[in-house]
């Protein structure tokens, strides 16, 4: 089956994202041209190591590349100072030099952490992203945002450090629990909503086959998502402007994640899907987008079996004022004003700092009232 290649055009930091089946098995041939000596240092987590590390080792060894691996505990807690220290000291102990290559094998936590370790090791070594979750394949492995969490909030410590290569092996998606696949799909649907109504229509028709395992549909969904992310990152690498479009649904999502304690009551991608539904509802109430768009989006999310409304989040939530207060802690607040991504229609998102407080308060009050 075809491998797609998306180029991320960032001058001397440009790189390719390969998307297709069995890329771990072919990783050696793809990584070899980037190496000065045939060895790499791989960092992963215990779940991913159990499922995929042997395949990676075999794939590298087929091209004569040896690897050492550091296996960290799975989970968001790994994106922290102690594990960053572990990574950096281990890489130094492995005698990783400026011209060597570090490999991040895992989901968003591993990609962000290892990318940051690579950014600060010897003032910056190159790294390869091998994203194993759908969320990491369509979002976090591309674009160079790396970092760890602080006690003050998520992703508050980090650096922009672009990978030298991304291999999104769509075969590994078969090992994801359905809930994780659908959470990652929250980020996929976001791309259709923010910039491409044709892609959204394609998702309406094909996303259930992709979720059921159709490889061609999976490759197309990941490729179109990565193309859109690459275009936006090329325009605005460090998020001075347009890159914020990628945060569609995220202002709501961050408040909901914070309200649910970043627990498995709500996965990040689930919060993105609910946040997108709220952003479209708000856009429609403000007369910005057609009234049928929010219901069309919710119908698609429901058809996919996804969390769609606040009523789908188990347990208690703060009231509207409490949620708005949590939104105000978002790192995208500037001069105390919230930034929202709203839409003039499906595929037509824009950035605004002018959302009337009343409309936001009413939207959340009504959304909370629909909870059982
Ligand atoms: N995940 C949003 C971004 O990369 O900008």
């Amino acid at each position: 089956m075809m491998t797609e290649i998306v180029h991320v055009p960032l001058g001397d930091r440009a790189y390719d994202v390969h998307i297709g089946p069995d890329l771990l098995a072919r990783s050696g041939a793809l990584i070899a041209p980037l190496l000065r000596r045939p060895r790499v240092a791989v960092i992963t987590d215990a779940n991913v190591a159990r499922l995929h590390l042997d395949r990676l080792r075999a794939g590298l060894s087929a091209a004569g590349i040896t690897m050492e691996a550091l296996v960290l505990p799975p989970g968001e807690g790994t994106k922290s100072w102690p594990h960053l220290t572990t990574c950096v000291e281990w890489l130094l102990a492995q005698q990783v030099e400026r011209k060597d290559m570090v490999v991040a094998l895992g989901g968003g936590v591993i990609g962000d952490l290892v990318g940051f370790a690579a950014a600060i090791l010897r003032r910056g070594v190159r790294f390869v992203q091998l994203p194993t979750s759908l969320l990491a394949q369509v979002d976090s492995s591309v674009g160079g945002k790396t970092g760890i969490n602080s006690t003050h909030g998520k992703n508050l410590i980090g650096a922009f450090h672009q990978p030298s290569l991304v291999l999104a092996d769509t075969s590994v998606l078969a090992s994801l629990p359905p809930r994780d696949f659908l959470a990652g799909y929250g980020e996929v649907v976001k791309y259709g909503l923010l910039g491409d109504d044709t892609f959204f229509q394609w998702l309406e028709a094909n996303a259930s086959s992709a979720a059921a395992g159709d490889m061609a549909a999976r490759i197309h969904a990941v490729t179109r998502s990565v193309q859109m992310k690459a275009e936006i990152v090329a325009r605005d690498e460090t998020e001075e402007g347009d890159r914020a479009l990628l945060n569609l649904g995220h202002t709501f999502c961050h408040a909901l994640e914070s309200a649910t304690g970043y627990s498995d009551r709500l996965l990040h991608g689930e919060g993105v899907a609910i946040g997108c539904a709220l952003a479209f509802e708000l856009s429609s109430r403000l007369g910005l987008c057609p009234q049928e768009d929010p219901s069309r989006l919710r119908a698609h999310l429901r058809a996919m079996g996804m969390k769609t409304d606040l009523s789908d989040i188990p347990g208690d939530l703060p009231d509207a004022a409490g949620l708005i207060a949590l939104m105000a802690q978002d790192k995208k607040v500037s001069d105390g004003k919230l930034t929202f991504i709203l839409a003039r229609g499906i595929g037509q998102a824009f950035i605004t700092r002018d959302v009337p407080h009343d409309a936001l308060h009413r939207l959340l009050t009504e959304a909370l009232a629909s909870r059982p």
Side-chain angles (χ1 to χ4, degrees), residues 139 142 145 190 229 239 243 246-247:
D139 182 27
V142 179
K145 282 190 180 174
K190 177 193 82 176
K229 178 145 190 185
E239 201 165 315
R243 185 163 178 165
L246 297 171
N247 297 326

Side-chain angles (χ1 to χ4, degrees), residues 51-69:
L51 293 164
H52 306 302
L53 193 58
D54 285 345
R55 201 136 17 99
L56 174 61
R57 187 180 284 106
L60 292 169
S61 128
I65 302 167
T66 56
M67 60 165 251
E68 296 297 330

Side-chain angles (χ1 to χ4, degrees), residues 51-52 132-135 172-182:
L51 293 164
H52 306 302
T132 56
S133 68
L134 180 58
L135 187 132
V172 306
L173 300 176
S175 61
L176 291 178
R179 186 177 175 195
D180 287 341
F181 184 92
L182 286 180

